[in-house]
């Protein structure tokens, strides 16, 4: 698990280190500057081969202080360095002011309005204007420079951002005022922040790396830390009967609409459910029977039929939604949620969510703690219209309302785990526990944006629930494995490939 920090959590860690004597603010600034230089030379090794020109843009806070350190280190390396400051040097914080003075012994400090902003103006641009503490949109000379820089891909390709691209909210990844630096490399300190992986973060950061600055611990004392889910919870299975790995039931739609549910069922089986049954209406029995082998089939005509199938206590996980159809969803979802005194886990996806867009409170009243909702943005907006509206509003100040905030609010309202699908998938439980899985940077899998991929994810969650995983753990593991399967296959992926890639991913994990 990789912990993602908010700006407040990072400040608390730094403050604790300084107050305990672990390190001074100036020492941390020096380490940060050296971390940026090391990351730049690792990312662009050709820059180390000869003297280069760097333009360093420093802001009015400690992020600007990091920039002065970077400028000094590159000058000591033999580079030509130009430094430009946004703000009054006399009002810099003490540590930043000290590093500004050290730089002034080596070279002048210009005004930001005079800084080059074209690709041919330097070999490297260092954005140290604003870091994690920015809480308002850019303005003045900073806005002018960033607007020009972000519109020039060639300049962006030469830009490194110190801690966070200026203009980006570090807690939400949203562009405050709609403008932020576009970087090829972003160097964060101690840990990634939420803004590096949410919303516009991956696009604006380019590549995000973490430089250690000698701090210990995570978000100590902070409520509800957020994690980027890994797969540590997947252990090797011992000897077991097929029923000890659970029995998942996936409900299909009518004839001609069964493909999505078959994808989900295949994924549930591949992820390790002991048995998986497709519940089909009579009109679709022949269609489904011709398409399956390892999967089982049961006739589920309507609410009464589902109630009868659920008399089997060995069925411990259900998946409803993929290709289900709105009318069939309205008929079956209440039965699925009522069955066996909430002993069964239930995944609701696609049509099982959209069927209640006119009466979301009716759905919320039926949900229980064993449920997982897996909406995409449109479905989320229909179920949680007010929350989605807040998320869609322009980000005019920071910390801006984020996808994490939205999913936490939705999970609290629904009373169950909510997984909001996207390149930055966010998962939250009603008690505020949350995880972010970003298919970005080295885990980018753009080919995952293919029809049916979400159905596979729903089936993977159902399969893990059948195996006995708690809803939050199942959602986190499935989100990680979903991307890992896509990365294992590579370009050209279609949804049918995902379940077949799972066994190799599990083997590679030693499961």
């Amino acid at each position: 698990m990789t912990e993602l920090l908010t700006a407040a959590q990072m400040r608390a860690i730094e403050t604790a280190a300084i107050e305990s004597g672990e390190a001074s603010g100036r020492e941390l600034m020096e380490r940060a500057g050296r971390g940026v230089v090391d990351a730049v030379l690792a990312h662009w090794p050709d820059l180390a081969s000869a003297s280069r020109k760097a333009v360093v843009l420093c802001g009015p806070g400690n992020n600007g202080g990091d920039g002065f350190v970077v400028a000094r280190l590159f000058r000591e390396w033999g580079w030509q360095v130009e430094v430009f400051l946004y703000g009054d040097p006399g009002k810099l914080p003490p540590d930043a002011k000290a590093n500004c003075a050290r730089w002034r012994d080596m070279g002048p400090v210009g005004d930001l309005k005079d800084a080059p902003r074209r690709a041919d103006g330097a070999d490297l641009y260092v954005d140290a204007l604003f870091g994690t503490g920015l809480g308002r949109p850019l303005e003045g000379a900073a806005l002018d420079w960033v607007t020009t820089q972000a519109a020039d891909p060639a300049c962006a390709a030469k830009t490194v951002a110190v801690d966070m691209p200026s203009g980006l909210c570090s807690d939400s990844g949203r562009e405050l005022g709609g403008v932020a630096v576009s970087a090829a490399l972003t160097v964060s300190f101690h840990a990634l922040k939420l803004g590096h992986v949410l919303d516009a973060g991956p696009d604006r950061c380019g590549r995000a790396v973490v430089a250690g600055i000698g701090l210990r611990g995570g978000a100590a004392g902070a409520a509800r830390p957020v994690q980027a889910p890994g797969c540590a919870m997947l252990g090797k299975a011992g000897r077991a009967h097929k029923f000890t790995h659970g029995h998942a039931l996936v409900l299909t739609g009518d004839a001609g609409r069964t493909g999505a549910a078959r994808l989900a069922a295949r994924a549930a089986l591949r992820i390790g459910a002991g048995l998986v049954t497709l519940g089909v209406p009579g009109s679709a029995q022949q269609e489904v029977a011709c398409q399956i082998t390892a999967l089982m089939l049961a006739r589920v005509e309507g609410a009464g039929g589902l109630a009868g199938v659920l008399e089997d206590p060995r069925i411990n996980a259900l998946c409803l939604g993929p290709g289900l159809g709105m009318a069939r969803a309205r008929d079956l979802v209440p039965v699925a949620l009522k069955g066996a005194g909430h002993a069964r886990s239930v995944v609701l996806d696609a049509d099982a969510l959209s069927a209640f867009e006119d009466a979301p409170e009716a759905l919320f009243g039926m949900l229980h703690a064993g449920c997982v909702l897996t909406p995409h943005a449109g479905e989320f907006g229909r179920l949680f219209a007010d929350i989605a509206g807040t998320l869609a509003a322009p980000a005019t100040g920071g910390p801006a309302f984020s996808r994490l905030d939205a999913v936490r609010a939705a999970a609290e309202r629904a009373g169950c785990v909510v997984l909001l699908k996207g390149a930055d998938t966010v998962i939250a439980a009603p008690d505020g526990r949350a995880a972010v899985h970003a298919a970005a940077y080295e885990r980018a899998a753009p080919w995952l944006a293919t029809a049916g991929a979400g159905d596979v994810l729903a089936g993977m969650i159902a399969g893990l629930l059948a195996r006995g995983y708690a809803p939050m753990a199942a959602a986190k593991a499935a989100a990680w494995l979903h991307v890992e399967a896509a990365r294992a296959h590579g370009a050209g992926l279609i949804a049918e490939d995902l379940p077949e890639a799972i066994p190799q991913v599990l083997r590679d994990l030693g499961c």
Side-chain angles (χ1 to χ4, degrees), residues 185-468:
L185 175 67
T186 298
V187 185
S188 183
F189 306 121
H190 182 64
L192 288 178
K193 316 306 182 293
L194 284 163
H196 291 121
V197 300
L198 291 173
D199 210 281
D203 180 61
R204 288 308 190 191
C205 290
R207 178 182 178 226
V209 300
V210 176
I213 53 175
L215 297 174
R216 295 193 297 267
R224 303 184 305 183
V226 181
Q227 293 181 324
C231 211
M233 68 287 291
L234 286 178
K236 296 181 180 179
R239 295 177 63 186
H241 187 272
K242 58 190 176 184
F243 281 111
T244 66
H245 276 185
H247 186 172
L249 174 65
V250 181
L251 281 302
T252 83
D254 294 323
R257 294 176 53 89
T258 66
R262 286 187 279 111
L263 281 173
R266 183 74 173 177
L269 193 64
R270 283 296 196 188
I271 205 73
L275 291 171
V276 180
T277 294
L278 279 159
V280 304
S283 65
Q285 274 188 266
Q286 184 173 353
E287 174 184 314
V288 173
C290 291
Q291 300 281 348
I292 63 174
T293 49
L295 296 168
M296 300 174 67
L297 184 149
R299 181 165 178 165
V300 176
E301 196 63 56
L306 178 57
V309 170
L310 293 182
E311 290 179 3
D312 183 348
R314 295 173 298 185
I315 297 174
N316 63 335
L318 284 74
C319 177
L320 297 88
L324 191 59
M326 302 290 246
R328 187 162 162 81
R330 284 189 289 269
D331 192 27
L332 298 184
V333 167
V335 179
L337 294 175
K338 181 181 179 181
H342 299 173
R344 293 186 176 96
S345 298
V346 181
V347 179
L348 298 181
D349 184 48
D351 292 343
L353 302 175
S354 295
F356 294 90
E357 62 182 7
D358 295 329
E361 294 301 328
L363 174 63
F364 301 153
M366 294 185 284
L367 297 171
H368 55 80
C371 297
V372 179
L373 311 186
T374 58
H376 58 51
E379 293 155 353
F380 186 91
R382 290 189 283 273
L383 281 183
F384 305 99
D386 57 330
I387 298 173
T390 301
L391 183 61
T396 58
F401 192 75
S402 69
R403 280 169 61 88
L404 174 63
D405 297 321
V407 179
R408 274 181 166 151
E412 182 178 11
R413 180 178 299 177
C416 66
V417 169
V418 176
L419 180 152
L420 176 56
K421 291 181 284 195
D424 52 342
T425 293
V426 181
I427 310 159
D431 61 5
R433 288 176 297 136
V436 177
H437 185 269
Y441 307 119
E442 70 279 358
R443 287 185 57 74
W447 47 85
L448 192 53
T450 185
D455 305 318
V456 172
L457 177 60
M460 292 171 71
I461 296 171
L464 291 174
L465 291 170
R467 292 185 58 178

Side-chain angles (χ1 to χ4, degrees), residues 92-106:
L92 287 168
D95 296 326
K97 185 180 292 185
N99 276 302
C100 178
R102 293 187 68 183
W103 165 255
R104 284 186 183 277
D105 291 337
M106 307 177 77

Side-chain angles (χ1 to χ4, degrees), residues 102-160:
R102 293 187 68 183
W103 165 255
R104 284 186 183 277
D105 291 337
M106 307 177 77
V109 176
D111 192 292
L112 179 62
K113 64 181 177 58
D114 300 320
R117 58 194 70 193
R118 292 166 51 92
D120 59 6
D123 297 296
L124 178 72
Y125 283 94
V126 180
D127 166 29
L129 289 170
F130 295 97
T132 59
L134 184 66
R136 64 185 187 281
L138 300 172
E139 55 187 18
L143 176 61
D144 292 342
W145 192 90
V146 171
T147 300
T148 303
Q149 186 274 347
D152 183 357
C155 188
K158 296 181 173 184
T159 300
V160 57

